[in-house]
Amino acid sequence: MSHQSLPGFREFFPDELAARTHLFEAWRRVAARYGFEEYDGPPLEPQELYTEKSGPEIVGQLYNFVDKGDREVALRPEMTPTLARMVASRANGLRKPIRWFSIAQMFRYERQQRGRLREHYQLNCDLIGEAGPLGDAEVIALLIDVVRELGLGADEVRVRVSDRRVLSALLLSAGVTEAQLPLAYATIDKQERMDRTALMAMLQGAGAGGISATVAGRVLDLSALHRLDDVAAVLAKVSGGSAALEPLRRTLGALEAMGLNDFVDVDLSIVRGLAYYTGTVFELFDAGRALRAIAGGGRYDELLGRLGGVELPAVGFAMGDVVIGELLKERGLRPALAPPIEVFIAGVTEDDLPHVLSLAHECRDAGLRTEYALTAQAVGKQLKLADARKARVAVLIGPDDRDRNEVQLKDLTAKAQRAVSRTEAVAELLAIRS
Ligand code: HAM
């Protein structure tokens, strides 16, 4: 009988876990620089938390079951509804704007493919209680700084930014009705994966709610706009059009003032699959577009009201660990695995063992990563083990050394050996390290 892990679930061997830790540390450092505080929520939630607000894409991927208490539950596929509920429950006591981040594992029963698994870790960063465009710029800047921190530049990753307020003003002016907007969004979202004929069919084909061929053609042309000036020119002819563009214009202006505009592209084909976004929407991709989205987010000003009865505007994003991990590996930006130990302590005879144990424990108390052989063996064999474990220094303790109250320090890189006083041994080892 073979015991394999489930499809889409990873096992993290030490080198893979080291890469994940490196990523999480970068996530935490950058979030801290923006004044974000870390929180967490339950990994298992009532299923209805997602069925009403996240939209059909997430609901179709729920990892859900009925628990022993007959509750319909789901492993969290995303953090945003949990965050919205948590903040809404204490909204009065929290100082706004709230800047919170979390690093947590998500579960989605997806068709397994490159960059998409059934579990993944996400960094979520959300700013709650600020409706103005500087809030949007703040989280987009944080996202860009995360990839900069990991060693990626503007020629390697791009944030594609749009705004549902802009897109809806454009679409309504083109003849799409309010009721047809979700269909138009869903189609635009598929733009990269389907050809124009299929997209036209999708727009026109939804029975009575379908969009006419003329309007459908306009929808696809508008969503292909990639320059702010082109968008502005169209919106100038629409009543309320310029006002709809103002938040996006100011968000982009703030990013430019921060010197981050090299990373940013306006792209109206970004609508995002999740149902709760109300304004700015953005996704981060590798510049070559060979991989799936690295991160995605946007403004969701109504979710806290709907889930917790507290009207608070919010904007945020999530970055998964899978796609960024692939990109870092591809670019050689994953850190080399640090050697597990620094110091190996070897005894010459069995009588030296208590002295080996005593010094090893002093080293560990001093913070040195230290190991010794767990069974009696020849010094040569012990030194081979020290080499295999990539120790920087071996300490040799033998009866003669003990008589002189000394130990031998052997630098395993330089292959040099010298005697030091037993009392000074730990200080000497710490000095070698620094
Ligand atoms: P999302 O676009 O569904 O947004 O997911 C964000 C990121 O999580 C994706 O860009 C991707 O890197 C990663 N991800 C999603 N699904 C998978 C998967 N099956 N396997 C590997 N990685 C995956 C959200 O989750 C929103 N809640 C983000 C947000 C936060 N919006 C506002 N605040």
Side-chain angles (χ1 to χ4, degrees):
M1 180 171 171
S2 76
H3 292 287
Q4 286 184 341
S5 61
L6 288 167
F9 284 78
R10 292 168 292 175
E11 292 170 315
F12 290 87
F13 286 81
D15 56 339
E16 288 137 9
L17 191 65
R20 191 178 98 189
T21 303
H22 166 76
L23 180 66
F24 286 10
E25 284 172 358
W27 283 354
R28 284 205 169 87
R29 273 196 307 278
V30 181
R33 272 182 223 156
Y34 281 75
F36 278 57
E37 295 174 286
E38 190 163 0
Y39 69 96
D40 200 358
L44 194 66
E45 289 277 22
Q47 184 180 304
E48 72 204 23
L49 185 64
Y50 310 106
T51 42
E52 284 161 34
K53 307 293 175 265
S54 296
E57 195 168 312
I58 285 267
V59 172
Q61 298 168 347
L62 276 183
Y63 225 111
N64 54 342
F65 54 95
V66 177
D67 77 3
K68 290 177 182 165
D70 269 342
R71 292 175 206 92
E72 294 197 341
V73 295
L75 287 165
R76 62 181 166 204
E78 57 157 340
M79 203 65 182
T80 315
T82 300
L83 168 71
R85 184 192 58 212
M86 284 171 69
V87 170
S89 74
R90 298 223 182 139
N92 288 339
L94 295 167
R95 203 189 148 82
K96 295 358 147 259
I98 296 155
R99 294 165 179 262
W100 279 8
F101 81 96
S102 81
I103 298 177
Q105 199 171 19
M106 306 296 151
F107 304 87
R108 297 184 188 182
Y109 202 90
E110 288 209 50
R111 197 170 52 83
Q112 203 188 326
Q113 51 193 301
R114 186 169 182 210
R116 289 291 177 268
L117 304 173
R118 292 192 174 156
E119 56 73 25
H120 68 284
Y121 287 86
Q122 276 189 355
L123 163 70
N124 273 258
C125 295
D126 291 86
L127 189 81
I128 297 166
E130 176 51 61
L134 273 188
D136 306 56
E138 187 83 340
V139 295
I140 296 174
L142 200 172
L143 171 61
I144 295 171
D145 280 351
V146 165
V147 283
R148 288 180 61 231
E149 179 79 3
L150 292 164
L152 294 163
D155 51 343
E156 292 167 303
V157 278
R158 317 285 311 165
V159 187
R160 296 156 70 188
V161 185
S162 180
D163 189 322
R164 284 198 179 181
R165 290 163 292 200
V166 172
L167 191 60
S168 69
L170 286 172
L171 295 177
L172 293 171
S173 76
V176 175
T177 64
E178 286 275 358
Q180 290 167 336
L181 277 179
L183 171 63
Y185 286 159
T187 311
I188 294 170
D189 192 39
K190 301 262 175 312
Q191 215 160 18
E192 288 211 320
R193 282 162 273 161
M194 285 162 62
D195 64 19
R196 193 171 170 101
T197 317
L199 293 165
M200 287 291 284
M202 187 170 167
L203 285 167
Q204 294 171 78
I211 295 170
S212 75
T214 325
V215 175
R218 281 189 218 141
V219 168
L220 296 183
D221 294 342
L222 287 171
S223 64
L225 293 178
H226 280 266
R227 290 184 49 236
L228 198 60
D229 289 347
D230 296 342
V231 178
V234 181
L235 282 176
K237 296 179 213 137
V238 177
S239 118
S242 303
L245 190 58
E246 204 42 31
L248 180 61
R249 200 189 274 289
R250 287 180 49 202
T251 299
L252 296 172
L255 290 166
E256 184 168 4
M258 294 179 206
L260 296 175
N261 51 325
D262 277 358
F263 283 87
V264 181
D265 296 323
V266 172
D267 188 337
L268 295 189
S269 70
I270 296 294
V271 290
R272 308 271 300 128
L274 291 158
Y276 46 68
Y277 294 114
T278 54
T280 312
V281 278
F282 53 92
E283 283 188 334
L284 180 84
F285 283 88
D286 63 301
R289 300 264 188 91
L291 308 171
R292 304 287 303 252
I294 300 169
R299 177 164 282 286
Y300 50 102
D301 285 348
E302 287 157 21
L303 190 64
L304 276 90
R306 292 213 201 125
L307 283 177
V310 181
E311 299 302 326
L312 273 178
V315 59
F317 72 84
M319 176 187 288
D321 66 327
V322 180
V323 182
I324 191 72
E326 282 184 22
L327 189 59
L328 293 176
K329 192 170 178 183
E330 201 179 288
R331 293 291 141 107
L333 290 170
R334 270 173 41 157
L337 193 59
I341 59 163
E342 297 162 282
V343 178
F344 191 96
I345 312 213
V348 177
T349 67
E350 278 197 40
D351 290 346
D352 298 312
L353 183 61
H355 306 275
V356 167
L357 296 178
S358 152
L359 180 58
H361 203 255
E362 274 178 47
C363 288
R364 286 171 176 172
D365 272 352
L368 288 158
R369 289 177 284 121
T370 308
E371 218 180 285
Y372 50 85
L374 295 177
T375 48
Q377 48 191 273
V379 178
K381 217 167 162 198
Q382 294 179 61
L383 288 177
K384 276 211 179 96
L385 183 54
D387 268 335
R389 302 287 287 156
K390 300 198 169 62
R392 172 107 186 261
V393 189
V395 182
L396 302 173
I397 304 179
D400 300 344
D401 303 306
R402 282 196 280 116
D403 287 346
R404 291 193 300 271
N405 194 30
E406 283 179 353
V407 295
Q408 301 289 326
L409 291 197
K410 192 174 165 72
D411 187 321
L412 293 174
T413 331
K415 307 276 179 229
Q417 184 169 325
R418 65 192 162 94
V420 300
S421 134
R422 167 66 181 84
T423 349
E424 297 298 316
V426 174
E428 290 276 350
L429 288 166
L430 285 169
I432 291 175
R433 178 165 74 166
S434 59

